[in-house]
Amino acid sequence: MNDSSSSQIVLLVDRQTQTEALLAPLMAAEKVRLLRAESGEEALELLLMHDVALALVDTEQPAMDGFEITRWIRENSRTRHIPVIMLANGAWDEAAIETAYDAGAIDYLGKPPGSNVLSGKIAVLLELDRNRRKLKEAVAHIDSTKAYYESMLNAAGDGVIGMDRAGRVRFANPAARAMLGAERDQIVGVDFMSFYPTPACSSACWEESPFFHSLRQGVESTLDEASLMRCDGSRFRVSLHISPLSGHADGLVLVFQDITGRKALEDQLRRQAVTDSLTGLHNRSGFKAAFRTALERARRARKSVALMFIDLDHFKRINDTLGHGAGDHLLAATAQRLRECVRSYDIVSRIGGDEFSVVLDELDHGASAAHVASKILTALRQPFRLEDGMQVAISASIGIATFPECAEDVDLLMQAAGVAMYQAKSDGRNLYHFYMPEMNAKARQRLMLEQALRLAVKDDEFSLHYQPQVDIASGNVVGYEALLRWQHEQIGRVAPSTFVPMLEETGLIIPMGQWVFSTGCRQRHAWDSVLPEQCVLSVNLSPRQFVDKKLVSQIQQVLETNELPAYQLEIELTESMLMSNTEHTREVLRSLKRLGLKLSVDDFGTGYSSLAYLKQFSLDALKIDKQFIDHLTTSKKDEAIARSIIQLGHNLGMQVIAEGVETGEQVEALQELGCDVVQGFYFGRPVPAGEVVGLPHAMAVNER
């Protein structure tokens, strides 16, 4: 029986209640009704009683397991349209995934599923169901219209044609003539088979046609989809209903509708299922289907196929600093450049986020992919112009797996290309790498390190070290920069250059950044009696923290909790954060300044070339990056850059800090250039909090 309500229904087949609790807010947001079954039998009963839009089925069920339930759904004519997402405790292995797909599931998730992933999948599938319902309503409307006009003699809404036993047209209503583009004398008395195109049509076509079959058997029949040909030779799709006249002696009546619009909608829905709406490329589903076809073709022709996984380097910075609109524009432009780098029949897909794939078909040998990969890297390095006129340069990391050398299976080739891509990233990015078996070991090491990182955040394995910042004129220590350190029990000391990017990629930088602020401010308050009042604590802010709407309130709460004056805290920002001239950026910076915090630009000169943000925002200091200090005394170019930054900062009323200072010669050069503050190993390495109180508060800059 059908629901009286028109709202959509999601069926959850799960004995446990945790998933239901997770789904409840999602269902409320989507205005969707949630039903839960605790067994296969209860699930089948609900499926037959209700018009279900989506089923979430746990694999573990009493009597009838989740795979059997899914097979039943797919084999039953009343439920086969219902998409099924299977759920299972723990990770899915390849055998379970294959079983799920064989049973008819369209996707699979571990339990408990992530709310963002689950909400995204549910939203897409519910939207497809709404389109299906619209299509069903459209078909139902057509059917009701047909029934109405069939009861009328002229059947004005549908095309109605009467034929004799030989298939000659005896009458055609106005709708039929209009659809066929025929005048009355062009259709009446004419063999209907001239409007019904069939291959290699012969004199026996009428006797072999479905019309003659219905006439001879005296039964009605329906063709859900067929083609008719107009008088001008063009074709259109129709649904046909064939009814023999009473006694099937005098002929039959053909009623038909033009379903071109309906089929176009169905085709559109099918395309949407395999197409990425932003770029127009294949999505992940479309990519896998096309890739599978390419492999089958290559096997028959004994050719090679190369699969490339392409990941844009540091794309999250674009989204976080310039906004998702700029990110979407960049993704669409990237898709266009990828198309231009390959042949028309090669397969280009966006498989998710900022990841693309390219399938190079019909290669004589896999090494040919190297030329294409180099071409892609060169194309992507050319600056992109965003909608606001700003230019952005990006790079990419490419992993390449070849068939049949690396593997002969779609999933194994995808895995190999992914491993090679991550190797390219770890080797410095803006590279391509072919897959080699030894890369699997490195990929496993990275996975283990990421798992260790998650446990380290949970188990509080991190610490802060502090490096002094010295006034170059007086030698007084005017600040300490808080630097994050990780000492793992088995691995040992892990370099920040290794774990900080992983914190960013995994999103753990948000809770970790909050911990740094809280721990650093608590420590600065503890030093209140031993450090000069104006000695500030410097803390780095990540791009992900900067876009967090709770950032300002969290910093204010940390200051209040630790009774720390705002002027004793300095926030270090990157140039990329400041390039997003959005209302959010302006409001965050205004709010931080209203709190009384100092704001500095870290690694100045290594990011974007535009300096417009320096005059737009109220900044206190610029930090010259270490790469310009390393060769300060031996490179005229680095000296010129340092001089320019110092002069620029002073002209704008800002303090200038040089980081990475390691020699007395560098100190003397910076003194001559007029730098304000220096920081580096020359004055002290980063030390634990307990050693700070033993450091001098003033240093003889010229005598070290």
Side-chain angles (χ1 to χ4, degrees), residues 165 214-220 243-252:
R165 290 186 60 83
S214 291
L215 183 64
R216 183 177 58 188
Q217 298 295 324
V219 295
E220 295 187 357
S243 299
L245 293 176
S246 179
H248 65 81
D250 296 321
L252 53 82

Side-chain angles (χ1 to χ4, degrees), residues 70-71 74 82-84 99-107:
T70 302
R71 290 190 191 95
R74 198 59 63 233
I82 300 174
V84 177
T99 303
Y101 281 137
D102 288 342
I106 67 167
D107 210 340

Side-chain angles (χ1 to χ4, degrees), residues 382-446:
Q382 304 306 309
F384 289 83
R385 184 175 294 277
L386 303 181
E387 290 178 324
D388 61 0
M390 176 182 171
Q391 287 191 340
V392 175
I394 63 170
S395 62
S397 300
I398 302 178
I400 307 172
T402 56
F403 166 89
E405 293 85 0
C406 296
E408 298 190 9
D409 174 78
V410 168
D411 293 325
L412 290 178
L413 284 165
M414 290 176 63
Q415 179 182 339
V419 168
M421 181 189 73
Y422 281 113
Q423 185 63 48
K425 280 188 174 294
S426 65
D427 284 352
R429 305 175 190 265
N430 193 26
L431 300 168
Y432 68 83
H433 271 318
F434 281 86
Y435 170 78
M436 291 180 290
E438 56 265 28
M439 289 180 180
N440 273 334
K442 292 185 178 180
R444 284 193 293 271
Q445 289 174 0
R446 175 184 168 82

Side-chain angles (χ1 to χ4, degrees), residues 13-15 37-40 57-66 69:
V13 187
D14 194 344
R15 289 179 296 166
E38 297 186 355
S39 68
V57 181
D58 189 5
T59 56
E60 297 181 6
Q61 300 292 336
M64 178 185 291
D65 66 19
I69 295 171

